[in-house]
Amino acid sequence: MLNSVNPFMHEENMSDNQSDKQQAGSQASECSQVDLDKRNFLIATSAVGALGCAAVAVPFVKSMTPSERAKAAGAPVEVDISKIQPGTIMTAEWRGKPVWIINRTDEMNAELAKHDDQLSDPASDVTSQQPAYCKNANRSIKPNIAVIVGICTHLGCSPSEKMQRGGDMGENWTGGFFCPCHGSKFDLAGRVFKGSPAPINLVVPPHKYLSDNTLLIGVDTEDKA
């Protein structure tokens, strides 16, 4: 006996297939729209973020004065030394490093010649540590004005100034600098004392005088030692 095929079932299956296809197409369209919306949102937020970064960066760049940009680039630095009183020190910045400018009194200069036997390099024979025109008893162009990079030659720390006699440095201390990190000691010409971890004297940078009260750090002078 032959099985009869219900024509209505066939039509019903076709209807279901069409419905499934329409539903799948609708879902794909919705997914495409969601993806498009996400992409547009990401593009918009990225653009806003970029504008925000630019807005922050511009004021930062503008906030740097020409002298600050010059210092960052290692350009020479001009310093007014007219207000440094005898026996005091001021700090300038050159190539990102502190540079001490010391106005030594006559008494301070006189003490420099009294402790050569306590120093590792009293005559500044390590020529890399100062220009030729500062290889003298005071390690300076002008006897009373010392110009020294304030970075310890041991591990790059910055020593503390101990300008006054005695105090917590002991009764025999006549003034200079002390590195609290490892105990290196330097006199008022930046010369290292024996027994210090620092192997050599502090650096005297290239410098010259534009006038009696104007110092230019970073450029060699034509003056002789």
Side-chain angles (χ1 to χ4, degrees):
M1 187 174 181
L2 296 175
N3 291 330
S4 60
V5 178
N6 189 338
F8 296 104
M9 284 183 73
H10 181 67
E11 292 179 359
E12 183 178 347
N13 289 338
M14 290 180 62
S15 177
D16 289 342
N17 290 337
Q18 290 177 351
S19 177
D20 291 342
K21 289 180 180 179
Q22 289 176 354
Q23 185 176 0
S26 177
Q27 289 176 347
S29 177
E30 290 177 0
C31 289
S32 298
Q33 184 61 43
V34 169
D35 290 341
L36 181 60
D37 291 342
K38 285 183 178 179
R39 186 180 66 179
N40 291 338
F41 174 76
L42 290 174
I43 292 173
T45 53
S46 299
V48 171
L51 289 174
C53 291
V56 171
V58 170
F60 175 75
V61 172
K62 286 185 177 179
S63 69
M64 295 183 67
T65 64
S67 60
E68 289 173 333
R69 287 196 293 270
K71 281 188 261 185
V77 177
E78 191 173 308
V79 184
D80 180 4
I81 62 172
S82 62
K83 297 181 180 179
I84 311 177
Q85 297 300 314
T88 64
I89 180 175
M90 73 170 288
T91 302
E93 183 183 349
W94 174 64
R95 292 187 175 179
K97 300 175 183 179
V99 177
W100 298 327
I101 305 167
I102 311 155
N103 189 348
R104 295 180 296 220
T105 62
D106 291 341
E107 182 183 8
M108 288 175 170
N109 277 335
E111 290 294 338
L112 292 177
K114 296 179 181 180
H115 53 246
D116 281 3
D117 59 328
Q118 301 175 44
L119 304 174
S120 297
D121 183 16
S124 300
D125 289 329
V126 180
T127 57
S128 62
Q129 297 308 101
Q130 66 281 311
Y133 48 83
C134 287
K135 189 182 182 303
N136 51 47
N138 300 310
R139 299 187 80 215
S140 59
I141 297 173
K142 295 185 177 183
N144 63 314
I145 301 292
V147 183
I148 302 170
V149 175
I151 298 294
C152 182
T153 54
H154 179 221
L155 292 177
C157 306
S158 186
S160 303
E161 60 94 358
K162 298 288 183 179
M163 301 279 290
Q164 304 305 316
R165 301 175 65 95
D168 58 355
M169 296 298 292
E171 61 180 8
N172 295 324
W173 183 252
T174 58
F177 304 93
F178 174 70
C179 186
C181 299
H182 302 96
S184 294
K185 299 177 182 178
F186 305 88
D187 70 2
L188 287 170
R191 299 177 299 177
V192 65
F193 281 90
K194 292 177 181 178
S196 296
I200 50 181
N201 297 337
L202 298 178
V203 171
V204 174
H207 60 281
K208 65 186 297 184
Y209 290 90
L210 302 180
S211 68
D212 287 342
N213 293 319
T214 305
L215 177 69
L216 186 65
I217 302 172
V219 175
D220 282 310
T221 183
E222 296 177 358
D223 296 341
K224 303 297 182 182

